[in-house]
Amino acid sequence: MKQLMFLISGMMLVAASAFASNVENLAAMEFYTSGPDTYTDGSAVIPGETYLFVYVKPGAEFGGVNTQGKLLDKDNNAIVGSAQAFVDSKGNIRCPFTQFSYQPSEYPGTFCIVLLDTRVSTTAVGGFVDAYQVTVATAAGGAISRTVASADAAGNAIGGATAAGAVTKSLLNPETDIPALSGIKTDANGNTVLEVENVRGFGAYAVEATDTLGDWSKADNAGTITNVNVKGKATVTVPASTTKVRFFKVIGK
């Protein structure tokens, strides 16, 4: 299984505040990042990328998400909101200010921001979740108190927050869910068309190519299998190349 991991560069903030209201003991959790947020390769987070806001019950931990961005521990975790990365007035790509109102007695645990990595290209998001980064903070108590917790670019805790990074857990069974290349041809435009068998609708797959068999460390990311909704076959079109010989393999994440 191939797993990827990234960290957010820049300041990630999770703020909890309680405020006076005509609703007794009503509080608000404020989610945002100061930006600019970047992936581990140093490239900026793509506008439209998804941030999840998750509640974690007391005594529990954030259990992560799967390749489809669904919570793995639904008994102890709950998504209370989400937002998409945007470009602010200073040109920073970050999570917008988002507020979640709640009764502290009903949500006595912690909240966290989870930034997903769903890149399908250098300019587009919306594919399978390859990895995520999470920052956790305890909600503030009191009628007018306010606390701000943050994590630095390295993921270290600041101001009482707990930061942790993790890769997503694959839903593919390494014993039985093994994809296989079953066909290869060239279309009228010189593109290579690959047929892949034994794919799963809940999986994430990538095709790699190299011109030197045995040296996959230098392999190109040739294509990604997306929109796989049913068990069976999938087709991947790899753009034409000037390389005379190319070797391909498919990886289930």
Side-chain angles (χ1 to χ4, degrees):
M1 295 295 172
K2 181 180 179 183
Q3 295 180 324
L4 303 175
M5 184 175 183
F6 71 90
L7 298 176
I8 299 174
S9 176
M11 194 74 73
M12 171 170 277
L13 304 176
V14 182
S17 65
F19 57 89
S21 172
N22 56 359
V23 180
E24 185 178 3
N25 295 325
L26 183 64
M29 175 65 74
E30 300 166 353
F31 301 96
Y32 61 94
T33 63
S34 62
D37 296 344
T38 64
Y39 297 112
T40 191
D41 59 8
S43 59
V45 169
I46 300 173
E49 187 66 271
T50 298
Y51 297 85
L52 299 179
F53 310 135
V54 180
Y55 168 70
V56 181
K57 289 184 178 180
E61 297 181 352
F62 176 64
V65 297
N66 60 30
T67 55
Q68 304 235 334
K70 304 297 183 181
L71 296 175
L72 293 174
D73 185 0
K74 295 182 180 179
D75 292 333
N76 293 299
N77 301 166
I79 296 175
V80 298
S82 65
Q84 281 65 51
F86 81 113
V87 182
D88 66 16
S89 59
K90 296 181 180 180
N92 293 327
I93 301 176
R94 61 183 182 85
C95 175
F97 178 90
T98 309
Q99 190 176 78
F100 166 67
S101 299
Y102 66 101
Q103 292 288 348
S105 60
E106 297 179 3
Y107 293 88
T110 61
F111 294 90
C112 60
I113 289 180
V114 182
L115 172 59
L116 306 181
D117 182 354
T118 65
R119 289 178 289 177
V120 294
S121 70
T122 58
T123 59
V125 295
F128 293 107
V129 178
D130 279 334
Y132 61 85
Q133 170 74 6
V134 57
T135 297
V136 184
T138 301
I144 57 174
S145 65
R146 176 181 174 86
T147 182
V148 176
S150 62
D152 65 14
N156 299 314
I158 301 176
T162 300
V167 293
T168 57
K169 297 179 180 179
S170 175
L171 296 182
L172 298 175
N173 184 325
E175 301 296 329
T176 60
D177 299 336
I178 303 174
L181 290 172
S182 60
I184 181 172
K185 63 182 180 180
T186 302
D187 65 17
N189 296 317
N191 302 315
T192 300
V193 180
L194 304 172
E195 290 187 355
V196 184
E197 292 186 344
N198 201 37
V199 296
R200 304 290 188 264
F202 47 72
Y205 302 88
V207 173
E208 292 187 352
T210 181
D211 56 5
T212 305
L213 187 62
D215 188 8
W216 289 98
S217 63
K218 298 180 181 179
D220 295 325
N221 187 356
T224 301
I225 299 176
T226 58
N227 300 322
V228 181
N229 298 315
V230 295
K231 176 180 177 180
K233 292 185 178 182
T235 301
V236 179
T237 299
V238 181
S241 171
T242 57
T243 303
K244 293 183 179 180
V245 178
R246 302 179 81 185
F247 301 94
F248 299 93
K249 72 176 179 179
V250 60
I251 301 171
K253 300 180 180 179

